[in-house]
Amino acid sequence: MTKKIVLLAAMAAVAVSALKAQNTYTPTAENLESRKEFADMRFGIFLHWGLYSTFAQGEWYMQNAGITFEEYSKAATGFYPSRFNAREWVAAIKASGAGYITITTRHHEGFSMWATKQWDYNIVDATPFKRDIIGELAEECHRQGIRLHLYYSHLDWAREDYPMGRTGTRCGKDPKKADWPKYYRFMNAQLTELLTNYGKIGAIWFDGWWDHDSDPTPFDWQLDEQYALIHRLQPACLVGNNHHMSPNPGEDIQIFERDLPGENKAGFVDQAAEISRLPLETCETMNGMWGYKVQDQNYKTTKQLIHYLVNTAGKGANLLMNIGPQPNGELPATAVQRLKEMGEWMQVYGSTIRATKAGDVPVQEWGATTRRDDKLYVHILNYDRRELYLPLQCKVVKAATFADGKRVGVTKTAEGVVLTLPEVPNGYDYVVELQTK
Ligand code: GLC
């Protein structure tokens, strides 16, 4: 009898731990709705802005140049972005056809861009500017009807209570002062402010998990509890984490850095990472750096940016394209020009990108396909012939160029169809609309 009870108790314990391992995160109805809205937008703008912009050497300057917090933090007393105008930023970004903005609220340098009560190393208390940047931006986003996502760094090069990982090693911290419970409380209090004081927040975008990926024993970030806090405060707020692995329970989107899902050209993706069924997002820079770097004029052309957007959509993912605002508070003029030109393109072709899924033909050298219901959009990006073969299983009932409705010939072959275009493809993206059955 006692043996039986012991056995039963042991079985129950195994069942509980199995449940825990699975983690029973069930997204709410409003969260699922928010995921759909997110995926439908297909295009967002990333903003990397912080104290680092004053050095104009990108957001990793503190670590890369090995500057101590004591020296680095002095820049705050000179940070006065006199030309910051949230209304202009949001208008310029909206004009690009993007549906959301993701901004760094606090990057690895540890400086907070809002009126946080948790530490005076922030835009309001530590600078002569004294304005709540996130607050002003949030208000404008809500006013102009564009969604706001907040980037939040898990790792911190400035605070002594953050247990140092493989970065931040040159910032003059005393690793003995690490105090994880205190730092964890600090982060959660900050996240609570962000999700309480600024209206509806579309997503929290975490970064820095990888700082502890080489620890001798696995580092416990206590993500479950933190994600639960976010979902409790705003159930529709999506959680994403730039950890380069398969998603953890509690995450609502999957993030890819500088690569389309399934690629690993940048070399960030973990070997075991799989593409999940969550909404996907790829982030990329418009020039070379995330944060403003004065000598970085290596901007992608409008054509390259549009091709990137089309290929991302062809993979069934969102594109989050980054801009690094200047220390004076302006978006770089070249970036604004690119936004304008992307917007002109989106005006015409937006419906072949937004609210679509990856098309029937996977991304090819010549281009990509997207689909909405019975419409298949063939985006011809790099091709200079009039005959294009598509390995299509479905039946094509109608075919025409998207922009001007010119007739496109369709010839059935054993493995698919051959399109005969009215001309050699031209423009950034020559789109053919197929109605299929
Ligand atoms: C990396 C970098 C960081 C940047 C981020 C954006 O993780 O550490 O500077 O914010 O990528 O994807």
Side-chain angles (χ1 to χ4, degrees):
M1 182 67 176
T2 39
K3 251 193 196 158
K4 219 177 183 179
I5 291 175
V6 171
L7 192 68
L8 277 177
M11 279 167 68
V14 169
V16 166
S17 65
L19 253 186
K20 262 198 187 151
Q22 268 180 23
N23 186 311
T24 48
Y25 169 61
T26 316
T28 57
E30 54 260 68
N31 186 282
L32 293 174
E33 183 54 34
S34 165
R35 289 182 188 186
K36 188 177 176 309
E37 279 169 24
F38 168 73
D40 281 352
M41 293 184 293
R42 278 289 176 262
F43 178 35
I45 293 294
F46 213 168
L47 296 173
H48 271 69
W49 203 34
L51 188 54
Y52 43 83
S53 70
T54 60
F55 300 99
Q57 293 301 319
E59 79 290 355
W60 270 67
Y61 183 60
M62 183 178 182
Q63 155 76 8
N64 290 349
I67 303 171
T68 62
F69 172 64
E70 198 192 340
E71 284 305 315
Y72 187 94
S73 56
K74 289 177 186 166
T77 59
F79 190 26
Y80 196 92
S82 59
R83 301 214 170 151
F84 173 67
N85 183 324
R87 187 160 295 196
E88 284 173 11
W89 278 23
V90 174
I93 291 170
K94 246 196 115 172
S96 75
Y100 61 106
I101 296 175
T102 307
I103 186 168
T104 51
T105 59
R106 170 174 151 280
H107 204 267
H108 311 334
E109 65 174 2
F111 185 80
S112 298
M113 294 293 275
W114 76 100
T116 179
K117 298 257 161 26
Q118 310 310 319
W119 194 18
D120 58 7
Y121 190 46
N122 70 66
I123 186 77
V124 175
D125 295 319
T127 77
F129 195 56
K130 297 195 183 307
R131 278 161 54 187
D132 185 335
I133 300 272
I134 300 300
E136 291 184 25
L137 190 65
E139 206 182 306
E140 265 316 307
C141 285
H142 301 321
R143 207 180 65 84
Q144 295 190 42
I146 188 167
R147 199 165 141 145
L148 180 65
H149 292 189
L150 303 178
Y151 169 111
Y152 189 85
S153 175
H154 267 135
L155 77 89
D156 192 301
W157 295 330
R159 292 181 65 91
E160 304 233 81
D161 52 7
Y162 170 69
M164 201 192 294
R166 62 177 164 82
T167 73
T169 46
R170 306 169 68 202
C171 306
K173 288 209 290 185
D174 178 358
K176 287 199 284 300
K177 294 199 177 141
D179 182 346
W180 168 253
K182 183 167 168 230
Y183 180 70
Y184 187 63
R185 276 198 304 278
F186 160 78
M187 285 195 294
N188 290 341
Q190 284 211 314
L191 289 165
T192 303
E193 290 176 346
L194 291 171
L195 290 160
T196 310
N197 301 338
Y198 301 104
K200 196 168 170 205
I201 301 301
I204 298 288
W205 204 103
F206 286 113
D207 190 21
W209 180 95
W210 35 261
D211 199 33
H212 280 284
D213 61 6
S214 317
D215 288 14
T217 51
F219 186 84
D220 185 5
W221 288 96
Q222 294 182 250
L223 295 178
D224 286 356
E225 215 179 305
Q226 193 164 62
Y227 293 172
L229 168 75
I230 294 168
H231 289 136
R232 205 159 51 238
L233 291 166
Q234 292 203 25
C237 180
L238 306 180
V239 172
N241 192 326
N242 186 32
H243 46 46
H244 310 139
M245 322 248 298
S246 300
N248 294 307
E251 291 168 11
D252 305 302
I253 63 171
Q254 184 174 7
I255 296 169
F256 299 82
E257 181 173 342
R258 291 189 189 272
D259 261 315
L260 298 184
E263 290 182 349
N264 194 7
K265 292 184 188 149
F268 291 129
V269 185
D270 182 80
Q271 294 278 312
E274 280 171 18
I275 302 175
S276 71
R277 302 184 63 183
L278 297 177
L280 312 174
E281 182 189 65
T282 281
C283 57
E284 181 51 286
T285 53
M286 214 183 248
N287 48 359
M289 269 276 175
W290 301 100
Y292 179 66
K293 184 174 175 185
V294 66
Q295 66 271 48
D296 181 3
Q297 292 303 321
N298 192 20
Y299 280 88
K300 293 168 185 67
T301 60
T302 303
K303 180 177 172 181
Q304 285 173 318
L305 294 171
I306 289 168
H307 284 196
Y308 211 87
L309 175 62
V310 170
N311 284 324
T312 316
K315 290 265 184 182
N318 284 22
L319 175 64
L320 181 60
M321 183 50 68
N322 182 76
I323 297 171
Q326 294 169 176
N328 70 352
E330 287 175 322
L331 303 177
T334 312
V336 175
Q337 180 62 21
R338 296 291 188 275
L339 290 175
K340 187 171 164 283
E341 290 180 8
M342 287 186 88
E344 284 160 7
W345 185 83
M346 283 292 274
Q347 282 276 338
V348 180
Y349 294 97
S351 66
T352 68
I353 299 290
R354 290 193 198 101
T356 62
K357 295 187 167 46
D360 309 34
V361 183
V363 173
Q364 307 285 322
E365 265 306 302
W366 56 257
T369 60
T370 54
R371 176 180 274 287
R372 184 180 332 94
D373 306 324
D374 66 345
K375 299 274 189 329
L376 181 68
Y377 301 106
V378 183
H379 299 262
I380 307 171
L381 304 173
N382 315 296
Y383 201 67
D384 56 9
R385 277 171 289 155
R386 284 184 52 204
E387 238 99 82
L388 178 69
Y389 162 71
L390 299 177
L392 273 189
Q393 295 318 314
C394 52
K395 192 170 168 229
V396 178
V397 290
K398 215 172 129 195
T401 58
F402 178 81
D404 48 12
K406 284 192 203 119
R407 211 186 80 85
V408 171
V410 181
T411 316
K412 184 104 193 62
T413 68
E415 300 87 28
V417 297
V418 172
L419 302 184
T420 304
L421 308 169
E423 64 217 315
V424 170
N426 54 56
Y428 294 141
D429 176 9
Y430 191 86
V431 184
V432 174
E433 180 181 290
L434 305 181
Q435 196 178 319
T436 65
K437 221 164 137 180

